[in-house]
mmCIF file with all atom_site columns, all heavy atoms in Angstrom:
data_model
loop_
_atom_site.group_PDB
_atom_site.id
_atom_site.type_symbol
_atom_site.label_atom_id
_atom_site.label_alt_id
_atom_site.label_comp_id
_atom_site.label_asym_id
_atom_site.label_entity_id
_atom_site.label_seq_id
_atom_site.pdbx_PDB_ins_code
_atom_site.Cartn_x
_atom_site.Cartn_y
_atom_site.Cartn_z
_atom_site.occupancy
_atom_site.B_iso_or_equiv
_atom_site.pdbx_formal_charge
_atom_site.auth_seq_id
_atom_site.auth_comp_id
_atom_site.auth_asym_id
_atom_site.auth_atom_id
_atom_site.pdbx_PDB_model_num
ATOM 1   N N   . SER A 1 136 ? -4.971 20.397 0.938   1.00 0.00 ? 148 SER A N   1
ATOM 2   C CA  . SER A 1 136 ? -4.895 20.733 -0.489  1.00 0.00 ? 148 SER A CA  1
ATOM 3   C C   . SER A 1 136 ? -3.477 20.598 -1.014  1.00 0.00 ? 148 SER A C   1
ATOM 4   O O   . SER A 1 136 ? -3.255 20.094 -2.125  1.00 0.00 ? 148 SER A O   1
ATOM 5   C CB  . SER A 1 136 ? -5.405 22.165 -0.709  1.00 0.00 ? 148 SER A CB  1
ATOM 6   O OG  . SER A 1 136 ? -6.760 22.289 -0.300  1.00 0.00 ? 148 SER A OG  1
ATOM 7   N N   . ILE A 1 137 ? -2.493 21.022 -0.212  1.00 0.00 ? 149 ILE A N   1
ATOM 8   C CA  . ILE A 1 137 ? -1.096 20.886 -0.634  1.00 0.00 ? 149 ILE A CA  1
ATOM 9   C C   . ILE A 1 137 ? -0.720 19.412 -0.761  1.00 0.00 ? 149 ILE A C   1
ATOM 10  O O   . ILE A 1 137 ? -0.066 18.993 -1.719  1.00 0.00 ? 149 ILE A O   1
ATOM 11  C CB  . ILE A 1 137 ? -0.172 21.605 0.362   1.00 0.00 ? 149 ILE A CB  1
ATOM 12  C CG1 . ILE A 1 137 ? -0.421 23.116 0.327   1.00 0.00 ? 149 ILE A CG1 1
ATOM 13  C CG2 . ILE A 1 137 ? 1.294  21.308 0.051   1.00 0.00 ? 149 ILE A CG2 1
ATOM 14  C CD1 . ILE A 1 137 ? 0.354  23.887 1.367   1.00 0.00 ? 149 ILE A CD1 1
ATOM 15  N N   . GLY A 1 138 ? -1.122 18.610 0.228   1.00 0.00 ? 150 GLY A N   1
ATOM 16  C CA  . GLY A 1 138 ? -0.791 17.190 0.202   1.00 0.00 ? 150 GLY A CA  1
ATOM 17  C C   . GLY A 1 138 ? -1.428 16.449 -0.944  1.00 0.00 ? 150 GLY A C   1
ATOM 18  O O   . GLY A 1 138 ? -0.863 15.468 -1.449  1.00 0.00 ? 150 GLY A O   1
ATOM 19  N N   . ASN A 1 139 ? -2.591 16.899 -1.390  1.00 0.00 ? 151 ASN A N   1
ATOM 20  C CA  . ASN A 1 139 ? -3.268 16.234 -2.499  1.00 0.00 ? 151 ASN A CA  1
ATOM 21  C C   . ASN A 1 139 ? -2.879 16.809 -3.853  1.00 0.00 ? 151 ASN A C   1
ATOM 22  O O   . ASN A 1 139 ? -3.030 16.125 -4.873  1.00 0.00 ? 151 ASN A O   1
ATOM 23  C CB  . ASN A 1 139 ? -4.787 16.343 -2.327  1.00 0.00 ? 151 ASN A CB  1
ATOM 24  C CG  . ASN A 1 139 ? -5.324 15.429 -1.241  1.00 0.00 ? 151 ASN A CG  1
ATOM 25  O OD1 . ASN A 1 139 ? -5.533 14.250 -1.454  1.00 0.00 ? 151 ASN A OD1 1
ATOM 26  N ND2 . ASN A 1 139 ? -5.542 15.974 -0.055  1.00 0.00 ? 151 ASN A ND2 1
ATOM 27  N N   . ALA A 1 140 ? -2.397 18.041 -3.880  1.00 0.00 ? 152 ALA A N   1
ATOM 28  C CA  . ALA A 1 140 ? -2.086 18.682 -5.163  1.00 0.00 ? 152 ALA A CA  1
ATOM 29  C C   . ALA A 1 140 ? -0.698 18.322 -5.669  1.00 0.00 ? 152 ALA A C   1
ATOM 30  O O   . ALA A 1 140 ? -0.505 18.153 -6.871  1.00 0.00 ? 152 ALA A O   1
ATOM 31  C CB  . ALA A 1 140 ? -2.214 20.198 -5.028  1.00 0.00 ? 152 ALA A CB  1
ATOM 32  N N   . PHE A 1 141 ? 0.267  18.190 -4.746  1.00 0.00 ? 153 PHE A N   1
ATOM 33  C CA  . PHE A 1 141 ? 1.644  17.944 -5.163  1.00 0.00 ? 153 PHE A CA  1
ATOM 34  C C   . PHE A 1 141 ? 1.959  16.456 -5.060  1.00 0.00 ? 153 PHE A C   1
ATOM 35  O O   . PHE A 1 141 ? 1.716  15.836 -4.021  1.00 0.00 ? 153 PHE A O   1
ATOM 36  C CB  . PHE A 1 141 ? 2.623  18.738 -4.295  1.00 0.00 ? 153 PHE A CB  1
ATOM 37  C CG  . PHE A 1 141 ? 2.549  20.220 -4.517  1.00 0.00 ? 153 PHE A CG  1
ATOM 38  C CD1 . PHE A 1 141 ? 1.761  21.011 -3.695  1.00 0.00 ? 153 PHE A CD1 1
ATOM 39  C CD2 . PHE A 1 141 ? 3.254  20.816 -5.546  1.00 0.00 ? 153 PHE A CD2 1
ATOM 40  C CE1 . PHE A 1 141 ? 1.681  22.378 -3.892  1.00 0.00 ? 153 PHE A CE1 1
ATOM 41  C CE2 . PHE A 1 141 ? 3.187  22.176 -5.749  1.00 0.00 ? 153 PHE A CE2 1
ATOM 42  C CZ  . PHE A 1 141 ? 2.390  22.965 -4.928  1.00 0.00 ? 153 PHE A CZ  1
ATOM 43  N N   . PRO A 1 142 ? 2.521  15.856 -6.104  1.00 0.00 ? 154 PRO A N   1
ATOM 44  C CA  . PRO A 1 142 ? 2.866  14.420 -6.058  1.00 0.00 ? 154 PRO A CA  1
ATOM 45  C C   . PRO A 1 142 ? 4.080  14.168 -5.185  1.00 0.00 ? 154 PRO A C   1
ATOM 46  O O   . PRO A 1 142 ? 4.830  15.087 -4.825  1.00 0.00 ? 154 PRO A O   1
ATOM 47  C CB  . PRO A 1 142 ? 3.150  14.089 -7.530  1.00 0.00 ? 154 PRO A CB  1
ATOM 48  C CG  . PRO A 1 142 ? 3.552  15.388 -8.142  1.00 0.00 ? 154 PRO A CG  1
ATOM 49  C CD  . PRO A 1 142 ? 2.789  16.458 -7.417  1.00 0.00 ? 154 PRO A CD  1
ATOM 50  N N   . SER A 1 143 ? 4.291  12.890 -4.874  1.00 0.00 ? 155 SER A N   1
ATOM 51  C CA  . SER A 1 143 ? 5.383  12.521 -3.972  1.00 0.00 ? 155 SER A CA  1
ATOM 52  C C   . SER A 1 143 ? 6.754  12.822 -4.562  1.00 0.00 ? 155 SER A C   1
ATOM 53  O O   . SER A 1 143 ? 7.685  13.144 -3.825  1.00 0.00 ? 155 SER A O   1
ATOM 54  C CB  . SER A 1 143 ? 5.281  11.036 -3.615  1.00 0.00 ? 155 SER A CB  1
ATOM 55  O OG  . SER A 1 143 ? 5.296  10.231 -4.784  1.00 0.00 ? 155 SER A OG  1
ATOM 56  N N   . PHE A 1 144 ? 6.901  12.731 -5.892  1.00 0.00 ? 156 PHE A N   1
ATOM 57  C CA  . PHE A 1 144 ? 8.209  12.996 -6.487  1.00 0.00 ? 156 PHE A CA  1
ATOM 58  C C   . PHE A 1 144 ? 8.549  14.489 -6.502  1.00 0.00 ? 156 PHE A C   1
ATOM 59  O O   . PHE A 1 144 ? 9.659  14.859 -6.878  1.00 0.00 ? 156 PHE A O   1
ATOM 60  C CB  . PHE A 1 144 ? 8.297  12.411 -7.906  1.00 0.00 ? 156 PHE A CB  1
ATOM 61  C CG  . PHE A 1 144 ? 7.267  12.925 -8.874  1.00 0.00 ? 156 PHE A CG  1
ATOM 62  C CD1 . PHE A 1 144 ? 7.433  14.130 -9.519  1.00 0.00 ? 156 PHE A CD1 1
ATOM 63  C CD2 . PHE A 1 144 ? 6.137  12.184 -9.141  1.00 0.00 ? 156 PHE A CD2 1
ATOM 64  C CE1 . PHE A 1 144 ? 6.491  14.603 -10.424 1.00 0.00 ? 156 PHE A CE1 1
ATOM 65  C CE2 . PHE A 1 144 ? 5.182  12.640 -10.046 1.00 0.00 ? 156 PHE A CE2 1
ATOM 66  C CZ  . PHE A 1 144 ? 5.363  13.850 -10.683 1.00 0.00 ? 156 PHE A CZ  1
ATOM 67  N N   . VAL A 1 145 ? 7.605  15.338 -6.100  1.00 0.00 ? 157 VAL A N   1
ATOM 68  C CA  . VAL A 1 145 ? 7.892  16.762 -5.915  1.00 0.00 ? 157 VAL A CA  1
ATOM 69  C C   . VAL A 1 145 ? 8.155  17.070 -4.443  1.00 0.00 ? 157 VAL A C   1
ATOM 70  O O   . VAL A 1 145 ? 9.111  17.778 -4.100  1.00 0.00 ? 157 VAL A O   1
ATOM 71  C CB  . VAL A 1 145 ? 6.730  17.628 -6.440  1.00 0.00 ? 157 VAL A CB  1
ATOM 72  C CG1 . VAL A 1 145 ? 6.957  19.101 -6.095  1.00 0.00 ? 157 VAL A CG1 1
ATOM 73  C CG2 . VAL A 1 145 ? 6.574  17.468 -7.940  1.00 0.00 ? 157 VAL A CG2 1
ATOM 74  N N   . ILE A 1 146 ? 7.320  16.530 -3.557  1.00 0.00 ? 158 ILE A N   1
ATOM 75  C CA  . ILE A 1 146 ? 7.480  16.800 -2.124  1.00 0.00 ? 158 ILE A CA  1
ATOM 76  C C   . ILE A 1 146 ? 8.745  16.151 -1.595  1.00 0.00 ? 158 ILE A C   1
ATOM 77  O O   . ILE A 1 146 ? 9.436  16.729 -0.738  1.00 0.00 ? 158 ILE A O   1
ATOM 78  C CB  . ILE A 1 146 ? 6.243  16.283 -1.358  1.00 0.00 ? 158 ILE A CB  1
ATOM 79  C CG1 . ILE A 1 146 ? 4.970  16.978 -1.875  1.00 0.00 ? 158 ILE A CG1 1
ATOM 80  C CG2 . ILE A 1 146 ? 6.394  16.539 0.138   1.00 0.00 ? 158 ILE A CG2 1
ATOM 81  C CD1 . ILE A 1 146 ? 3.706  16.481 -1.212  1.00 0.00 ? 158 ILE A CD1 1
ATOM 82  N N   . GLY A 1 147 ? 9.090  14.942 -2.087  1.00 0.00 ? 159 GLY A N   1
ATOM 83  C CA  . GLY A 1 147 ? 10.276 14.245 -1.595  1.00 0.00 ? 159 GLY A CA  1
ATOM 84  C C   . GLY A 1 147 ? 11.560 15.046 -1.771  1.00 0.00 ? 159 GLY A C   1
ATOM 85  O O   . GLY A 1 147 ? 12.301 15.269 -0.808  1.00 0.00 ? 159 GLY A O   1
ATOM 86  N N   . PRO A 1 148 ? 11.881 15.505 -2.998  1.00 0.00 ? 160 PRO A N   1
ATOM 87  C CA  . PRO A 1 148 ? 13.084 16.333 -3.146  1.00 0.00 ? 160 PRO A CA  1
ATOM 88  C C   . PRO A 1 148 ? 13.058 17.616 -2.335  1.00 0.00 ? 160 PRO A C   1
ATOM 89  O O   . PRO A 1 148 ? 14.113 18.087 -1.884  1.00 0.00 ? 160 PRO A O   1
ATOM 90  C CB  . PRO A 1 148 ? 13.105 16.633 -4.653  1.00 0.00 ? 160 PRO A CB  1
ATOM 91  C CG  . PRO A 1 148 ? 12.392 15.474 -5.277  1.00 0.00 ? 160 PRO A CG  1
ATOM 92  C CD  . PRO A 1 148 ? 11.313 15.118 -4.306  1.00 0.00 ? 160 PRO A CD  1
ATOM 93  N N   . VAL A 1 149 ? 11.876 18.196 -2.137  1.00 0.00 ? 161 VAL A N   1
ATOM 94  C CA  . VAL A 1 149 ? 11.789 19.400 -1.303  1.00 0.00 ? 161 VAL A CA  1
ATOM 95  C C   . VAL A 1 149 ? 12.181 19.083 0.138   1.00 0.00 ? 161 VAL A C   1
ATOM 96  O O   . VAL A 1 149 ? 12.912 19.850 0.797   1.00 0.00 ? 161 VAL A O   1
ATOM 97  C CB  . VAL A 1 149 ? 10.366 19.997 -1.358  1.00 0.00 ? 161 VAL A CB  1
ATOM 98  C CG1 . VAL A 1 149 ? 10.205 21.111 -0.329  1.00 0.00 ? 161 VAL A CG1 1
ATOM 99  C CG2 . VAL A 1 149 ? 10.069 20.527 -2.751  1.00 0.00 ? 161 VAL A CG2 1
ATOM 100 N N   . LEU A 1 180 ? 7.267  12.014 4.274   1.00 0.00 ? 192 LEU A N   1
ATOM 101 C CA  . LEU A 1 180 ? 6.627  12.188 2.970   1.00 0.00 ? 192 LEU A CA  1
ATOM 102 C C   . LEU A 1 180 ? 5.296  11.450 2.906   1.00 0.00 ? 192 LEU A C   1
ATOM 103 O O   . LEU A 1 180 ? 4.258  12.031 2.544   1.00 0.00 ? 192 LEU A O   1
ATOM 104 C CB  . LEU A 1 180 ? 7.573  11.689 1.878   1.00 0.00 ? 192 LEU A CB  1
ATOM 105 C CG  . LEU A 1 180 ? 6.989  11.558 0.466   1.00 0.00 ? 192 LEU A CG  1
ATOM 106 C CD1 . LEU A 1 180 ? 6.529  12.898 -0.048  1.00 0.00 ? 192 LEU A CD1 1
ATOM 107 C CD2 . LEU A 1 180 ? 8.013  10.939 -0.475  1.00 0.00 ? 192 LEU A CD2 1
ATOM 108 N N   . PHE A 1 183 ? 2.597  12.883 5.421   1.00 0.00 ? 195 PHE A N   1
ATOM 109 C CA  . PHE A 1 183 ? 1.999  14.147 4.985   1.00 0.00 ? 195 PHE A CA  1
ATOM 110 C C   . PHE A 1 183 ? 0.950  13.924 3.900   1.00 0.00 ? 195 PHE A C   1
ATOM 111 O O   . PHE A 1 183 ? -0.153 14.487 3.958   1.00 0.00 ? 195 PHE A O   1
ATOM 112 C CB  . PHE A 1 183 ? 3.096  15.083 4.476   1.00 0.00 ? 195 PHE A CB  1
ATOM 113 C CG  . PHE A 1 183 ? 2.582  16.405 3.982   1.00 0.00 ? 195 PHE A CG  1
ATOM 114 C CD1 . PHE A 1 183 ? 2.015  17.315 4.856   1.00 0.00 ? 195 PHE A CD1 1
ATOM 115 C CD2 . PHE A 1 183 ? 2.651  16.730 2.636   1.00 0.00 ? 195 PHE A CD2 1
ATOM 116 C CE1 . PHE A 1 183 ? 1.530  18.532 4.401   1.00 0.00 ? 195 PHE A CE1 1
ATOM 117 C CE2 . PHE A 1 183 ? 2.174  17.931 2.171   1.00 0.00 ? 195 PHE A CE2 1
ATOM 118 C CZ  . PHE A 1 183 ? 1.606  18.845 3.055   1.00 0.00 ? 195 PHE A CZ  1
ATOM 119 N N   . ILE A 1 184 ? 1.269  13.090 2.913   1.00 0.00 ? 196 ILE A N   1
ATOM 120 C CA  . ILE A 1 184 ? 0.327  12.852 1.817   1.00 0.00 ? 196 ILE A CA  1
ATOM 121 C C   . ILE A 1 184 ? -0.930 12.132 2.317   1.00 0.00 ? 196 ILE A C   1
ATOM 122 O O   . ILE A 1 184 ? -2.063 12.522 2.006   1.00 0.00 ? 196 ILE A O   1
ATOM 123 C CB  . ILE A 1 184 ? 1.015  12.048 0.705   1.00 0.00 ? 196 ILE A CB  1
ATOM 124 C CG1 . ILE A 1 184 ? 2.127  12.883 0.062   1.00 0.00 ? 196 ILE A CG1 1
ATOM 125 C CG2 . ILE A 1 184 ? 0.009  11.607 -0.348  1.00 0.00 ? 196 ILE A CG2 1
ATOM 126 C CD1 . ILE A 1 184 ? 2.927  12.132 -0.973  1.00 0.00 ? 196 ILE A CD1 1
ATOM 127 N N   . GLU A 1 242 ? -1.589 2.011  -1.359  1.00 0.00 ? 254 GLU A N   1
ATOM 128 C CA  . GLU A 1 242 ? -0.856 3.060  -2.069  1.00 0.00 ? 254 GLU A CA  1
ATOM 129 C C   . GLU A 1 242 ? 0.537  3.259  -1.481  1.00 0.00 ? 254 GLU A C   1
ATOM 130 O O   . GLU A 1 242 ? 1.473  3.629  -2.200  1.00 0.00 ? 254 GLU A O   1
ATOM 131 C CB  . GLU A 1 242 ? -1.641 4.370  -2.019  1.00 0.00 ? 254 GLU A CB  1
ATOM 132 C CG  . GLU A 1 242 ? -1.050 5.480  -2.856  1.00 0.00 ? 254 GLU A CG  1
ATOM 133 C CD  . GLU A 1 242 ? -1.882 6.748  -2.816  1.00 0.00 ? 254 GLU A CD  1
ATOM 134 O OE1 . GLU A 1 242 ? -3.056 6.666  -2.402  1.00 0.00 ? 254 GLU A OE1 1
ATOM 135 O OE2 . GLU A 1 242 ? -1.361 7.810  -3.177  1.00 0.00 ? 254 GLU A OE2 1
ATOM 136 N N   . VAL A 1 249 ? 8.309  5.268  -6.222  1.00 0.00 ? 261 VAL A N   1
ATOM 137 C CA  . VAL A 1 249 ? 8.777  6.659  -6.227  1.00 0.00 ? 261 VAL A CA  1
ATOM 138 C C   . VAL A 1 249 ? 9.542  6.976  -4.953  1.00 0.00 ? 261 VAL A C   1
ATOM 139 O O   . VAL A 1 249 ? 10.651 7.526  -4.989  1.00 0.00 ? 261 VAL A O   1
ATOM 140 C CB  . VAL A 1 249 ? 7.587  7.624  -6.401  1.00 0.00 ? 261 VAL A CB  1
ATOM 141 C CG1 . VAL A 1 249 ? 8.061  9.070  -6.305  1.00 0.00 ? 261 VAL A CG1 1
ATOM 142 C CG2 . VAL A 1 249 ? 6.883  7.374  -7.718  1.00 0.00 ? 261 VAL A CG2 1
ATOM 143 N N   . THR A 1 250 ? 8.973  6.624  -3.809  1.00 0.00 ? 262 THR A N   1
ATOM 144 C CA  . THR A 1 250 ? 9.587  6.973  -2.526  1.00 0.00 ? 262 THR A CA  1
ATOM 145 C C   . THR A 1 250 ? 10.965 6.352  -2.378  1.00 0.00 ? 262 THR A C   1
ATOM 146 O O   . THR A 1 250 ? 11.928 7.029  -1.984  1.00 0.00 ? 262 THR A O   1
ATOM 147 C CB  . THR A 1 250 ? 8.683  6.510  -1.376  1.00 0.00 ? 262 THR A CB  1
ATOM 148 O OG1 . THR A 1 250 ? 7.374  7.046  -1.547  1.00 0.00 ? 262 THR A OG1 1
ATOM 149 C CG2 . THR A 1 250 ? 9.239  6.970  -0.039  1.00 0.00 ? 262 THR A CG2 1
ATOM 150 N N   . VAL A 1 253 ? 13.489 8.019  -4.695  1.00 0.00 ? 265 VAL A N   1
ATOM 151 C CA  . VAL A 1 253 ? 13.913 9.347  -4.255  1.00 0.00 ? 265 VAL A CA  1
ATOM 152 C C   . VAL A 1 253 ? 14.904 9.248  -3.103  1.00 0.00 ? 265 VAL A C   1
ATOM 153 O O   . VAL A 1 253 ? 15.915 9.955  -3.066  1.00 0.00 ? 265 VAL A O   1
ATOM 154 C CB  . VAL A 1 253 ? 12.683 10.192 -3.849  1.00 0.00 ? 265 VAL A CB  1
ATOM 155 C CG1 . VAL A 1 253 ? 13.122 11.493 -3.178  1.00 0.00 ? 265 VAL A CG1 1
ATOM 156 C CG2 . VAL A 1 253 ? 11.817 10.495 -5.061  1.00 0.00 ? 265 VAL A CG2 1
#
Side-chain angles (χ1 to χ4, degrees):
S148 299
I149 294 175
N151 286 279
F153 291 95
S155 57
F156 59 82
V157 173
I158 301 178
V161 171
L192 170 62
F195 179 67
I196 294 176
E254 187 178 344
V261 176
T262 306
V265 171

